[in-house]
Amino acid sequence: MEANVVDHTSMWSLISNASIVVQLVMLTLVAASVTSWIMIFQRSNMLRAAKKSLETFEERFWSGIDLSKLYRQAGSNPDPDCGVEQIFRAGFKEFSRLRQQAGVDPDAVMEGVARAMRVAISREEEKLEQSLPFLATVGSTSPYIGLFGTVWGIMNSFRGLAQVQQATLATVAPGIAEALIATAIGLFAAIPAVIAYNRFAARGETLVGRYYTFADEFQAILHRKVHTSDE
């Protein structure tokens, strides 16, 4: 008798005995949670690689190496994870192209360089924001989806009570318990997604800020270079 009670109130028994709607809600939330964790690990590795490659490239950039040589090295062995390298290549490529054209005003050269680097920064910003909308959606909607499953399950439990002559706690408890599991799974999916979203958004903003700082410093170097060579 006791064994049957334990089995009847076990987690798997509650899930398997839930209604189809509640089971679909649970399945949806589990799928969202698994997808979120996959994206969390991918984003974490990508941001870690982006930060490391940024520091490595900045060290090379400020080592005093010739910019033309650095551009050739970056072009021959590009690092797709290095956003600052893409910004440098875009800016120096536009700088070299405009400088080769006769009669181009230095200010026009610098405007072209700034425009090229802004486009490159926008592309890197898009990369950093990948998966964030999904994590935000999971974090904001999962509790409500779980709550829907809970409400539906409790409604079914009370509908079942209407057909019973004598309602007891043992009669209503399993139905309410299986309904509450949906809310628990919703919170389990939402909490990591919200934490990851906030963390990744903050780290992404930090990287973008460093990209803009590098672009400003690089632009200042090119500004001195173009005006010095024209004197």
Side-chain angles (χ1 to χ4, degrees):
M1 188 72 171
E2 184 178 355
N4 291 335
V5 173
V6 173
D7 181 68
H8 185 64
T9 58
S10 66
M11 188 69 68
W12 175 250
S13 177
L14 293 173
I15 294 174
S16 61
N17 291 329
S19 64
I20 297 298
V21 174
V22 177
Q23 288 180 345
L24 288 176
V25 168
M26 294 178 182
L27 182 62
T28 301
L29 293 173
V30 169
S33 179
V34 172
T35 305
S36 296
W37 278 106
I38 293 174
M39 290 184 175
I40 287 171
F41 284 117
Q42 290 177 343
R43 288 289 94 190
S44 180
N45 292 333
M46 188 275 289
L47 288 171
R48 191 181 300 109
K51 182 181 179 181
K52 182 178 179 181
S53 59
L54 183 149
E55 294 173 348
T56 301
F57 185 84
E58 282 189 333
E59 184 177 351
R60 292 168 57 197
F61 180 82
W62 295 111
S63 64
I65 187 174
D66 182 70
L67 295 181
S68 299
K69 181 179 179 181
L70 181 60
Y71 177 75
R72 289 192 299 269
Q73 291 178 354
S76 61
N77 188 24
D79 184 1
D81 295 326
C82 187
V84 71
E85 180 182 299
Q86 310 304 322
I87 298 166
F88 166 78
R89 291 177 59 194
F92 194 82
K93 180 180 180 180
E94 186 68 9
F95 177 79
S96 301
R97 185 183 70 83
L98 294 176
R99 288 288 291 160
Q100 291 174 359
Q101 297 179 5
V104 180
D105 185 73
D107 292 334
V109 173
M110 295 312 304
E111 288 178 3
V113 170
R115 185 168 53 252
M117 287 195 293
R118 281 198 303 269
V119 172
I121 291 175
S122 297
R123 291 174 180 169
E124 296 305 317
E125 197 169 359
E126 290 178 359
K127 292 180 182 178
L128 295 175
E129 292 176 352
Q130 288 178 358
S131 303
L132 289 184
F134 180 83
L135 292 176
T137 301
V138 171
S140 60
T141 61
S142 292
Y144 296 103
I145 296 175
L147 183 60
F148 168 76
T150 297
V151 171
W152 188 276
I154 292 176
M155 286 172 55
N156 286 337
S157 295
F158 282 110
R159 286 173 59 189
L161 285 178
Q163 303 174 3
V164 178
Q165 294 290 338
Q166 184 178 2
T168 62
L169 184 60
T171 305
V172 71
I176 295 178
E178 70 187 28
L180 290 175
I181 292 176
T183 297
I185 297 177
L187 294 175
F188 179 80
I191 293 174
V194 171
I195 295 174
Y197 173 84
N198 293 331
R199 181 175 177 81
F200 294 159
R203 292 172 65 182
E205 289 178 2
T206 301
L207 285 173
V208 171
R210 294 185 65 176
Y211 290 162
Y212 276 108
T213 300
F214 173 82
D216 291 340
E217 294 172 339
F218 183 41
Q219 190 172 346
I221 294 174
L222 294 180
H223 185 274
R224 291 193 299 268
K225 187 179 181 68
V226 71
H227 282 83
T228 301
S229 59
D230 287 343
E231 291 180 355

